[in-house]
Amino acid sequence: MKNTEIDTSWTFTNTVTLADFIRKNELQVGASGNLSSVILRIALATKIVSRGVNRAGLASMMGLAGEVNVQGEEQAKLDIYADKVFSSTLGRSGYFLSMVSEEREELWPAKKGSETSHYVIAFDPVDGSSNIDVNVSIGTVWGIYRRISDGSNVDPNDTSDFLQPGKNQVAAGYTIYGSSTMFVYSTGHGTHGFTLDPTIGEFILTNPQMEMPQDGNIYSCNEGNYHGWSEGVKQYVDTLKDPSKHASGNTHSARYVGSLVADFHRTVLKGGIFMYPGDKKNPNGKLRLLYECAPMAFLAENSGGRASNGNSSISDLVPTDIHARTPLFIGSTKMVEEVEKSIREHGGD
Ligand code: AHM
Ligand code: MG
C-alpha cells in the first residue's frame, strides 16, 4: 500500500446489521413489515439484558432474589430484572396482544392500544439461571404466534392464543450471553446468527443460514439423572459411550453446560444431540414446551436439525397449559432418530 492510500479494510463497509438483514430478508419473503419491527424490538430488549448480564457482578444482580416463580424455582435477581426489561420493552411496543413469561403464572395483556396486534409472545427471560453466579453462559428464548382470538378482550384465563403447536410460530429465537452476545432467530426461512458489537451497540451478521450437521459426535445431558431414565434413553446413551455398541464405531464426547441456550448453540454449530428426558420423578422432564422447547425446535428445523419428545416432533405438540413441560431430544437429525428408535425398541417409560 502506498502511504498516500487510506487503508479502509478495518471499517464496517461490508457489515450487515440485524436491521439491514431483516429488512432485506423480509422484502424477499414478502412478510409484513410489522414483523421486522417486532424482531428489532426483541433485539433491543436482549441488548438491555446483555448489558445487565455483563454488569451483574458490579450492580449486585447476582444471587437469589428471595422469591420463587410459578415453577416453584428460586428466582435469581437477574431473572426478575430480565423479565421486567422484556415486559416493559415489548409490552409498551404495541406489537403484542399478550405475553407469557416463565417468571409469571398467568399471561398478561400488553398495554392498552395493542388490541389490534396480531401477535402474542412467550419468553424465558433468563434461561440457565443456575449459571448466573458462576459466570457461565445463559440466554433468553422467545417464540411468537399469530393470535387466534379476536383480540377484543385479553382474559388471563383464556390461554388459547398460546396453546398452539410450535409449527405455528411465525418467528422464534434466542440470545446467548456468552463470550460474546449473539442473537439467533428464524422466521421460517433459515436460522441466522448475529454477534453484538458492544462498541457500536449493533448486532452484526456473523452466521447467515446456519446449518446443523446431520450427524455429530457430542452428546449433552445431565447424566446425574441416568438412573431415573427409561430403558430406551439409558441404552442409547450407553451406545454413545461405547464405540463397539454404536453403528458408527465412533467415540462420542460429553458436553453439558446446563444452560439450554448454550448447549443448543453448540449443537447447531458443531452437531450432536441435547437431551433432557423425563425421569421417574418428572415424567415430562424439566423443560417448558411453550417458551423453551418449541422455539428451539423451530430453530433446529430451520437449520436442518430435528426436535422430538422421544416419539413425536416437538413442533406438533400442543401445550396443555402455558407452563407445560416436555421431554426434549434435539440436534442432528441422525442422532435424534437414533434415540427415537432406541425408545421404540427398549421402552420410553
Ligand atoms: P431455568 O429456565 O430455570 O434456568 O431452567 C432451565 C435450564 C436449562 O437451561 C437447562 O437445560 C436445564 O435447566 C438444566 O437443568 P439441570 O440443572 O437439571 O441439568
Ligand atoms: Mg429460565
Side-chain angles (χ1 to χ4, degrees):
M1 191 178 75
K2 286 190 241 153
N3 61 7
T4 50
E5 285 175 41
I6 297 169
D7 178 8
T8 54
S9 57
W10 56 273
T11 64
F12 293 110
T13 44
N14 292 323
T15 300
V16 177
T17 66
L18 178 64
D20 295 335
F21 184 85
I22 287 179
R23 281 188 204 111
K24 184 164 180 289
N25 212 36
E26 297 253 331
L27 285 177
Q28 278 170 358
V29 298
S32 90
N34 204 14
L35 191 56
S36 318
S37 313
V38 167
I39 293 167
L40 289 173
R41 192 75 185 174
I42 296 168
L44 171 66
T46 66
K47 274 193 246 179
I48 299 170
V49 173
S50 176
R51 185 183 59 188
V53 169
N54 289 333
R55 297 195 65 244
L58 298 169
S60 308
M61 273 199 288
M62 285 184 165
L64 299 173
E67 305 285 330
V68 291
N69 68 9
V70 59
Q71 327 288 336
E73 296 155 347
E74 285 182 304
Q75 287 179 306
K77 290 178 192 163
L78 209 54
D79 280 328
I80 295 175
Y81 170 76
D83 181 65
K84 283 197 176 133
V85 169
F86 258 69
S87 55
S88 59
T89 311
L90 304 184
R92 288 186 197 138
S93 67
Y95 298 135
F96 298 104
L97 178 69
S98 59
M99 303 187 282
V100 158
S101 165
E102 180 187 355
E103 303 304 332
R104 300 179 188 221
E105 187 160 2
E106 292 183 334
L107 68 85
W108 76 101
K111 72 151 200 192
K112 278 213 170 322
S114 305
E115 293 81 359
T116 52
S117 173
H118 296 299
Y119 303 119
V120 297
I121 184 166
F123 53 84
D124 180 357
V126 174
D127 178 66
S129 316
S130 66
N131 279 325
I132 293 171
D133 286 359
V134 289
N135 227 330
V136 171
S137 299
I138 50 179
T140 295
V141 193
W142 53 271
I144 297 175
Y145 292 83
R146 199 172 281 281
R147 70 170 152 86
I148 48 181
S149 65
D150 65 10
S152 53
N153 177 27
V154 177
D155 172 359
N157 296 314
D158 178 4
T159 51
S160 56
D161 284 335
F162 292 93
L163 304 187
Q164 303 189 50
K167 64 185 173 200
N168 287 5
Q169 286 169 110
V170 292
Y174 63 82
T175 299
I176 178 168
Y177 312 107
S179 48
S180 56
T181 295
M182 278 193 74
F183 183 85
V184 176
Y185 88 99
S186 177
T187 53
H189 305 276
T191 294
H192 312 287
F194 303 79
T195 303
L196 183 64
D197 181 336
T199 61
I200 55 169
E202 289 277 5
F203 282 113
I204 306 297
L205 180 65
T206 47
N207 299 64
Q209 206 71 45
M210 294 163 83
E211 273 181 46
M212 177 123 59
Q214 289 300 293
D215 198 3
N217 63 5
I218 297 174
Y219 73 99
S220 183
C221 55
N222 184 344
E223 265 191 282
N225 298 329
Y226 180 92
H227 288 290
W229 291 344
S230 67
E231 208 43 43
V233 176
K234 280 182 184 168
Q235 292 218 15
Y236 180 59
V237 170
D238 290 347
T239 64
L240 295 174
K241 293 160 72 166
D242 182 348
S244 72
K245 285 189 186 155
H246 195 264
S248 67
N250 291 336
T251 45
H252 291 79
S253 292
R255 294 281 185 278
Y256 188 68
V257 177
S259 289
L260 172 65
V261 173
D263 283 313
F264 179 76
H265 190 66
R266 182 198 56 248
T267 306
V268 180
L269 295 176
K270 299 199 165 183
I273 185 166
F274 170 88
M275 299 175 268
Y276 209 111
D279 57 41
K280 285 189 191 123
K281 234 169 73 193
N282 304 299
N284 288 323
K286 176 181 182 187
L287 301 179
R288 278 52 59 116
L289 176 54
L290 180 60
Y291 42 78
E292 292 178 331
C293 302
M296 291 311 200
F298 192 78
L299 295 161
E301 286 165 8
N302 272 286
S303 58
R306 179 169 168 76
S308 167
N309 67 354
N311 305 300
S312 317
S313 165
I314 292 286
S315 299
D316 289 332
L317 303 179
V318 177
T320 49
D321 69 77
I322 57 177
H323 296 293
R325 298 169 196 260
T326 176
L328 177 67
F329 303 89
I330 191 166
S332 297
T333 299
K334 187 160 183 294
M335 295 184 81
V336 176
E337 285 172 356
E338 283 170 1
V339 73
E340 288 178 317
K341 181 165 180 276
S342 183
I343 287 170
R344 269 197 310 277
E345 289 175 359
H346 304 291
D349 299 313

